[in-house]
Amino acid sequence: MAESSEKTDESSSINLQQLYRLFDKDKLNIISFLQYMKLLSQRYSCPVCNDDMSLVKRAQVSDGYEWQCTKRRRRGPAEEKHRVTRSLRKGTWFSQSKLTLEEITLLMYFWVQELPQKFVMEETKMSCGTVCDWYSFCREVCDVILAQKDIKIGGKRHIVEIDEAPFTKRQYHKGKRSIQKWVFGGIDRETGACFLHPVESRSALTLLSIVQERILPGTTIYSSCWKQYGCLSHEGFKKLTEDQCITFKDKETCSQTSTIEGLWELVKDRMLPKNRRPHFDSYLCEFMYRRSRGENDRFKKFMQDIAAVYPPPTHD
C-alpha cells in the first residue's frame, strides 16, 4: 500500500483533509485505501488459468487500473496465450456507478458526517439527484446491517422504557393535508440503545409482538401503553411475563421516566426536515444505525459495514 494510505489507516479516525490528500496523487492510493478497507478486492482469479491477475495501470479506464492476465496456458502439446481483463468494481459497492472512486468515497464521507445535501452539491458540483441517490444508498446499508444483526435491547437488571409517538408527514400535491405515522420506540436506560418501529396498527397484538422481537428476556419494562391497548388481558402478555421473564410496570407509577421522552425529542429534531419526504422508514433506520455505531471512527465503521453488505468478489 502506498505510504500516504498507510498513514491514513493507522490514524484513529479519517478526516476530510486526509481524503483529499489521497485524491491528489496517483489513483493507486485511493485504490489501495479501498482495498485495505475491503471495499475493493485485493486479488482476483483469472477465469481462464485460475492464477491471480495483476493490477495494471490503464489510462483508458476511469479507475486508472484494472485486473489483467496475459499468461500462457498449455493445451496439449501447444501453449496458448490469453488476455483477460476485469474491472476493479466488478461485483462491488461501486459497480453500478459511473462516478469516480474518489467521488463516491467523498459522498460516503459527507453522509457519515451528516452534511446537508445542499452543501454537498456545492462542494462536489454534483447534481441534486446524484447526491440524493447516494444518500439513499447509504441508508439502505443501515437497513441491511440492522436486519442482519437483529439488535435487541435490555436484558437482566436492565430497564427499558417504551412509548409511542406520532409523526406528521405532509403529502405532496395535496395542499396542507397531512398524515400521521405512529412509531413505537424503546430505550435502555443503562446503555442508551434504542429501537424505533413504525406501525400501521396500534393494537395489543402489534405492541406485544414488537416487545418480543426487540427486547431481551429478563428486562423490566416501563410503559403506559398496556392498559390503553388492553395488553394486560392479551394472551401474548402472559407469554412474555412467564416465558421471557419480562416484568411490566406502568410508567405513570414510576419515577424518572423521562428517558423515552428525551429520545422522542432527539428523533423529531433529527427527523423534522425529513417529515415531508418519502422514505420515512429509512430515516428511522438511519437514526438507529448511527446510534448503535457511536461517535468514534464512524467513517471506518460505515466502510466496514458496506464491505459486509457488498463483499468484493475474488473471481467470476
Side-chain angles (χ1 to χ4, degrees), residues 161-163 222-224 249-255 257 260-261:
E161 297 179 27
I162 69 171
D163 200 2
Y222 288 175
S223 174
S224 61
K249 293 185 178 181
D250 189 338
K251 80 171 187 177
E252 293 179 357
T253 66
C254 304
S255 61
T257 57
I260 189 69
E261 283 80 5

mmCIF file with all atom_site columns, all heavy atoms in Angstrom, residues 161-163 222-224 249-255 257 260-261:
data_model
loop_
_atom_site.group_PDB
_atom_site.id
_atom_site.type_symbol
_atom_site.label_atom_id
_atom_site.label_alt_id
_atom_site.label_comp_id
_atom_site.label_asym_id
_atom_site.label_entity_id
_atom_site.label_seq_id
_atom_site.pdbx_PDB_ins_code
_atom_site.Cartn_x
_atom_site.Cartn_y
_atom_site.Cartn_z
_atom_site.occupancy
_atom_site.B_iso_or_equiv
_atom_site.pdbx_formal_charge
_atom_site.auth_seq_id
_atom_site.auth_comp_id
_atom_site.auth_asym_id
_atom_site.auth_atom_id
_atom_site.pdbx_PDB_model_num
ATOM 1   N N   . GLU A 1 161 ? -37.648 1.692  28.751 1.00 0.00 ? 161 GLU A N   1
ATOM 2   C CA  . GLU A 1 161 ? -38.871 2.481  28.657 1.00 0.00 ? 161 GLU A CA  1
ATOM 3   C C   . GLU A 1 161 ? -39.390 2.407  27.225 1.00 0.00 ? 161 GLU A C   1
ATOM 4   O O   . GLU A 1 161 ? -38.626 2.564  26.276 1.00 0.00 ? 161 GLU A O   1
ATOM 5   C CB  . GLU A 1 161 ? -38.601 3.945  29.019 1.00 0.00 ? 161 GLU A CB  1
ATOM 6   C CG  . GLU A 1 161 ? -38.147 4.152  30.449 1.00 0.00 ? 161 GLU A CG  1
ATOM 7   C CD  . GLU A 1 161 ? -37.870 5.609  30.742 1.00 0.00 ? 161 GLU A CD  1
ATOM 8   O OE1 . GLU A 1 161 ? -38.489 6.474  30.074 1.00 0.00 ? 161 GLU A OE1 1
ATOM 9   O OE2 . GLU A 1 161 ? -37.039 5.890  31.610 1.00 0.00 ? 161 GLU A OE2 1
ATOM 10  N N   . ILE A 1 162 ? -40.660 2.149  27.069 1.00 0.00 ? 162 ILE A N   1
ATOM 11  C CA  . ILE A 1 162 ? -41.257 2.137  25.736 1.00 0.00 ? 162 ILE A CA  1
ATOM 12  C C   . ILE A 1 162 ? -42.434 3.094  25.685 1.00 0.00 ? 162 ILE A C   1
ATOM 13  O O   . ILE A 1 162 ? -43.073 3.374  26.698 1.00 0.00 ? 162 ILE A O   1
ATOM 14  C CB  . ILE A 1 162 ? -41.693 0.722  25.306 1.00 0.00 ? 162 ILE A CB  1
ATOM 15  C CG1 . ILE A 1 162 ? -42.872 0.253  26.140 1.00 0.00 ? 162 ILE A CG1 1
ATOM 16  C CG2 . ILE A 1 162 ? -40.551 -0.259 25.367 1.00 0.00 ? 162 ILE A CG2 1
ATOM 17  C CD1 . ILE A 1 162 ? -43.480 -1.042 25.629 1.00 0.00 ? 162 ILE A CD1 1
ATOM 18  N N   . ASP A 1 163 ? -42.688 3.600  24.509 1.00 0.00 ? 163 ASP A N   1
ATOM 19  C CA  . ASP A 1 163 ? -43.780 4.559  24.331 1.00 0.00 ? 163 ASP A CA  1
ATOM 20  C C   . ASP A 1 163 ? -44.066 4.660  22.835 1.00 0.00 ? 163 ASP A C   1
ATOM 21  O O   . ASP A 1 163 ? -43.382 4.062  22.009 1.00 0.00 ? 163 ASP A O   1
ATOM 22  C CB  . ASP A 1 163 ? -43.376 5.920  24.904 1.00 0.00 ? 163 ASP A CB  1
ATOM 23  C CG  . ASP A 1 163 ? -44.574 6.799  25.200 1.00 0.00 ? 163 ASP A CG  1
ATOM 24  O OD1 . ASP A 1 163 ? -45.713 6.335  24.993 1.00 0.00 ? 163 ASP A OD1 1
ATOM 25  O OD2 . ASP A 1 163 ? -44.370 7.949  25.627 1.00 0.00 ? 163 ASP A OD2 1
ATOM 26  N N   . TYR A 1 222 ? -40.974 -0.247 31.466 1.00 0.00 ? 222 TYR A N   1
ATOM 27  C CA  . TYR A 1 222 ? -41.878 0.795  31.927 1.00 0.00 ? 222 TYR A CA  1
ATOM 28  C C   . TYR A 1 222 ? -42.680 1.296  30.730 1.00 0.00 ? 222 TYR A C   1
ATOM 29  O O   . TYR A 1 222 ? -42.107 1.654  29.696 1.00 0.00 ? 222 TYR A O   1
ATOM 30  C CB  . TYR A 1 222 ? -41.105 1.968  32.531 1.00 0.00 ? 222 TYR A CB  1
ATOM 31  C CG  . TYR A 1 222 ? -40.481 1.692  33.877 1.00 0.00 ? 222 TYR A CG  1
ATOM 32  C CD1 . TYR A 1 222 ? -39.659 2.629  34.485 1.00 0.00 ? 222 TYR A CD1 1
ATOM 33  C CD2 . TYR A 1 222 ? -40.718 0.491  34.560 1.00 0.00 ? 222 TYR A CD2 1
ATOM 34  C CE1 . TYR A 1 222 ? -39.084 2.398  35.732 1.00 0.00 ? 222 TYR A CE1 1
ATOM 35  C CE2 . TYR A 1 222 ? -40.154 0.246  35.794 1.00 0.00 ? 222 TYR A CE2 1
ATOM 36  C CZ  . TYR A 1 222 ? -39.331 1.203  36.374 1.00 0.00 ? 222 TYR A CZ  1
ATOM 37  O OH  . TYR A 1 222 ? -38.757 0.950  37.598 1.00 0.00 ? 222 TYR A OH  1
ATOM 38  N N   . SER A 1 223 ? -43.993 1.337  30.885 1.00 0.00 ? 223 SER A N   1
ATOM 39  C CA  . SER A 1 223 ? -44.840 1.799  29.796 1.00 0.00 ? 223 SER A CA  1
ATOM 40  C C   . SER A 1 223 ? -46.218 2.165  30.308 1.00 0.00 ? 223 SER A C   1
ATOM 41  O O   . SER A 1 223 ? -46.699 1.609  31.297 1.00 0.00 ? 223 SER A O   1
ATOM 42  C CB  . SER A 1 223 ? -44.963 0.713  28.724 1.00 0.00 ? 223 SER A CB  1
ATOM 43  O OG  . SER A 1 223 ? -45.884 1.095  27.735 1.00 0.00 ? 223 SER A OG  1
ATOM 44  N N   . SER A 1 224 ? -46.853 3.091  29.585 1.00 0.00 ? 224 SER A N   1
ATOM 45  C CA  . SER A 1 224 ? -48.240 3.453  29.895 1.00 0.00 ? 224 SER A CA  1
ATOM 46  C C   . SER A 1 224 ? -49.184 2.870  28.860 1.00 0.00 ? 224 SER A C   1
ATOM 47  O O   . SER A 1 224 ? -50.362 3.204  28.837 1.00 0.00 ? 224 SER A O   1
ATOM 48  C CB  . SER A 1 224 ? -48.385 4.983  29.936 1.00 0.00 ? 224 SER A CB  1
ATOM 49  O OG  . SER A 1 224 ? -48.059 5.529  28.671 1.00 0.00 ? 224 SER A OG  1
ATOM 50  N N   . LYS A 1 249 ? -44.187 -2.598 34.197 1.00 0.00 ? 249 LYS A N   1
ATOM 51  C CA  . LYS A 1 249 ? -44.631 -1.632 35.189 1.00 0.00 ? 249 LYS A CA  1
ATOM 52  C C   . LYS A 1 249 ? -45.243 -0.440 34.470 1.00 0.00 ? 249 LYS A C   1
ATOM 53  O O   . LYS A 1 249 ? -44.733 -0.002 33.442 1.00 0.00 ? 249 LYS A O   1
ATOM 54  C CB  . LYS A 1 249 ? -43.467 -1.157 36.067 1.00 0.00 ? 249 LYS A CB  1
ATOM 55  C CG  . LYS A 1 249 ? -42.900 -2.255 36.960 1.00 0.00 ? 249 LYS A CG  1
ATOM 56  C CD  . LYS A 1 249 ? -41.836 -1.706 37.902 1.00 0.00 ? 249 LYS A CD  1
ATOM 57  C CE  . LYS A 1 249 ? -41.305 -2.787 38.820 1.00 0.00 ? 249 LYS A CE  1
ATOM 58  N NZ  . LYS A 1 249 ? -40.281 -2.265 39.755 1.00 0.00 ? 249 LYS A NZ  1
ATOM 59  N N   . ASP A 1 250 ? -46.327 0.075  35.034 1.00 0.00 ? 250 ASP A N   1
ATOM 60  C CA  . ASP A 1 250 ? -46.964 1.264  34.487 1.00 0.00 ? 250 ASP A CA  1
ATOM 61  C C   . ASP A 1 250 ? -46.053 2.452  34.741 1.00 0.00 ? 250 ASP A C   1
ATOM 62  O O   . ASP A 1 250 ? -45.742 2.762  35.888 1.00 0.00 ? 250 ASP A O   1
ATOM 63  C CB  . ASP A 1 250 ? -48.318 1.476  35.157 1.00 0.00 ? 250 ASP A CB  1
ATOM 64  C CG  . ASP A 1 250 ? -49.124 2.572  34.478 1.00 0.00 ? 250 ASP A CG  1
ATOM 65  O OD1 . ASP A 1 250 ? -48.506 3.417  33.802 1.00 0.00 ? 250 ASP A OD1 1
ATOM 66  O OD2 . ASP A 1 250 ? -50.348 2.568  34.631 1.00 0.00 ? 250 ASP A OD2 1
ATOM 67  N N   . LYS A 1 251 ? -45.620 3.124  33.708 1.00 0.00 ? 251 LYS A N   1
ATOM 68  C CA  . LYS A 1 251 ? -44.633 4.188  33.904 1.00 0.00 ? 251 LYS A CA  1
ATOM 69  C C   . LYS A 1 251 ? -45.208 5.375  34.666 1.00 0.00 ? 251 LYS A C   1
ATOM 70  O O   . LYS A 1 251 ? -44.470 6.190  35.203 1.00 0.00 ? 251 LYS A O   1
ATOM 71  C CB  . LYS A 1 251 ? -44.057 4.638  32.568 1.00 0.00 ? 251 LYS A CB  1
ATOM 72  C CG  . LYS A 1 251 ? -44.895 5.593  31.767 1.00 0.00 ? 251 LYS A CG  1
ATOM 73  C CD  . LYS A 1 251 ? -44.083 6.100  30.596 1.00 0.00 ? 251 LYS A CD  1
ATOM 74  C CE  . LYS A 1 251 ? -44.836 7.189  29.853 1.00 0.00 ? 251 LYS A CE  1
ATOM 75  N NZ  . LYS A 1 251 ? -44.034 7.742  28.746 1.00 0.00 ? 251 LYS A NZ  1
ATOM 76  N N   . GLU A 1 252 ? -46.532 5.477  34.730 1.00 0.00 ? 252 GLU A N   1
ATOM 77  C CA  . GLU A 1 252 ? -47.127 6.578  35.475 1.00 0.00 ? 252 GLU A CA  1
ATOM 78  C C   . GLU A 1 252 ? -46.896 6.429  36.972 1.00 0.00 ? 252 GLU A C   1
ATOM 79  O O   . GLU A 1 252 ? -46.957 7.392  37.716 1.00 0.00 ? 252 GLU A O   1
ATOM 80  C CB  . GLU A 1 252 ? -48.626 6.653  35.176 1.00 0.00 ? 252 GLU A CB  1
ATOM 81  C CG  . GLU A 1 252 ? -48.931 7.057  33.732 1.00 0.00 ? 252 GLU A CG  1
ATOM 82  C CD  . GLU A 1 252 ? -50.421 7.094  33.462 1.00 0.00 ? 252 GLU A CD  1
ATOM 83  O OE1 . GLU A 1 252 ? -51.191 6.750  34.394 1.00 0.00 ? 252 GLU A OE1 1
ATOM 84  O OE2 . GLU A 1 252 ? -50.817 7.478  32.344 1.00 0.00 ? 252 GLU A OE2 1
ATOM 85  N N   . THR A 1 253 ? -46.614 5.214  37.410 1.00 0.00 ? 253 THR A N   1
ATOM 86  C CA  . THR A 1 253 ? -46.367 4.976  38.829 1.00 0.00 ? 253 THR A CA  1
ATOM 87  C C   . THR A 1 253 ? -44.881 4.949  39.144 1.00 0.00 ? 253 THR A C   1
ATOM 88  O O   . THR A 1 253 ? -44.504 4.736  40.288 1.00 0.00 ? 253 THR A O   1
ATOM 89  C CB  . THR A 1 253 ? -46.985 3.635  39.261 1.00 0.00 ? 253 THR A CB  1
ATOM 90  O OG1 . THR A 1 253 ? -46.286 2.567  38.579 1.00 0.00 ? 253 THR A OG1 1
ATOM 91  C CG2 . THR A 1 253 ? -48.454 3.582  38.910 1.00 0.00 ? 253 THR A CG2 1
ATOM 92  N N   . CYS A 1 254 ? -44.013 5.154  38.114 1.00 0.00 ? 254 CYS A N   1
ATOM 93  C CA  . CYS A 1 254 ? -42.574 5.068  38.313 1.00 0.00 ? 254 CYS A CA  1
ATOM 94  C C   . CYS A 1 254 ? -41.941 6.452  38.202 1.00 0.00 ? 254 CYS A C   1
ATOM 95  O O   . CYS A 1 254 ? -42.418 7.309  37.484 1.00 0.00 ? 254 CYS A O   1
ATOM 96  C CB  . CYS A 1 254 ? -41.956 4.146  37.265 1.00 0.00 ? 254 CYS A CB  1
ATOM 97  S SG  . CYS A 1 254 ? -42.677 2.494  37.240 1.00 0.00 ? 254 CYS A SG  1
ATOM 98  N N   . SER A 1 255 ? -40.883 6.636  38.944 1.00 0.00 ? 255 SER A N   1
ATOM 99  C CA  . SER A 1 255 ? -40.170 7.902  38.885 1.00 0.00 ? 255 SER A CA  1
ATOM 100 C C   . SER A 1 255 ? -39.097 7.865  37.804 1.00 0.00 ? 255 SER A C   1
ATOM 101 O O   . SER A 1 255 ? -38.690 6.811  37.348 1.00 0.00 ? 255 SER A O   1
ATOM 102 C CB  . SER A 1 255 ? -39.508 8.186  40.243 1.00 0.00 ? 255 SER A CB  1
ATOM 103 O OG  . SER A 1 255 ? -38.577 7.154  40.558 1.00 0.00 ? 255 SER A OG  1
ATOM 104 N N   . THR A 1 257 ? -38.881 8.735  34.518 1.00 0.00 ? 257 THR A N   1
ATOM 105 C CA  . THR A 1 257 ? -39.226 8.066  33.260 1.00 0.00 ? 257 THR A CA  1
ATOM 106 C C   . THR A 1 257 ? -39.122 9.040  32.083 1.00 0.00 ? 257 THR A C   1
ATOM 107 O O   . THR A 1 257 ? -39.909 8.974  31.151 1.00 0.00 ? 257 THR A O   1
ATOM 108 C CB  . THR A 1 257 ? -40.660 7.505  33.348 1.00 0.00 ? 257 THR A CB  1
ATOM 109 O OG1 . THR A 1 257 ? -41.557 8.574  33.646 1.00 0.00 ? 257 THR A OG1 1
ATOM 110 C CG2 . THR A 1 257 ? -40.770 6.423  34.387 1.00 0.00 ? 257 THR A CG2 1
ATOM 111 N N   . ILE A 1 260 ? -37.386 8.087  27.629 1.00 0.00 ? 260 ILE A N   1
ATOM 112 C CA  . ILE A 1 260 ? -38.053 7.885  26.342 1.00 0.00 ? 260 ILE A CA  1
ATOM 113 C C   . ILE A 1 260 ? -38.535 9.210  25.773 1.00 0.00 ? 260 ILE A C   1
ATOM 114 O O   . ILE A 1 260 ? -38.490 9.417  24.548 1.00 0.00 ? 260 ILE A O   1
ATOM 115 C CB  . ILE A 1 260 ? -39.222 6.880  26.486 1.00 0.00 ? 260 ILE A CB  1
ATOM 116 C CG1 . ILE A 1 260 ? -39.777 6.501  25.115 1.00 0.00 ? 260 ILE A CG1 1
ATOM 117 C CG2 . ILE A 1 260 ? -40.299 7.423  27.399 1.00 0.00 ? 260 ILE A CG2 1
ATOM 118 C CD1 . ILE A 1 260 ? -38.863 5.673  24.276 1.00 0.00 ? 260 ILE A CD1 1
ATOM 119 N N   . GLU A 1 261 ? -38.969 10.140 26.649 1.00 0.00 ? 261 GLU A N   1
ATOM 120 C CA  . GLU A 1 261 ? -39.371 11.457 26.148 1.00 0.00 ? 261 GLU A CA  1
ATOM 121 C C   . GLU A 1 261 ? -38.183 12.187 25.529 1.00 0.00 ? 261 GLU A C   1
ATOM 122 O O   . GLU A 1 261 ? -38.312 12.864 24.503 1.00 0.00 ? 261 GLU A O   1
ATOM 123 C CB  . GLU A 1 261 ? -39.971 12.299 27.282 1.00 0.00 ? 261 GLU A CB  1
ATOM 124 C CG  . GLU A 1 261 ? -41.389 11.935 27.674 1.00 0.00 ? 261 GLU A CG  1
ATOM 125 C CD  . GLU A 1 261 ? -41.459 10.722 28.590 1.00 0.00 ? 261 GLU A CD  1
ATOM 126 O OE1 . GLU A 1 261 ? -40.376 10.228 28.991 1.00 0.00 ? 261 GLU A OE1 1
ATOM 127 O OE2 . GLU A 1 261 ? -42.578 10.277 28.911 1.00 0.00 ? 261 GLU A OE2 1
#
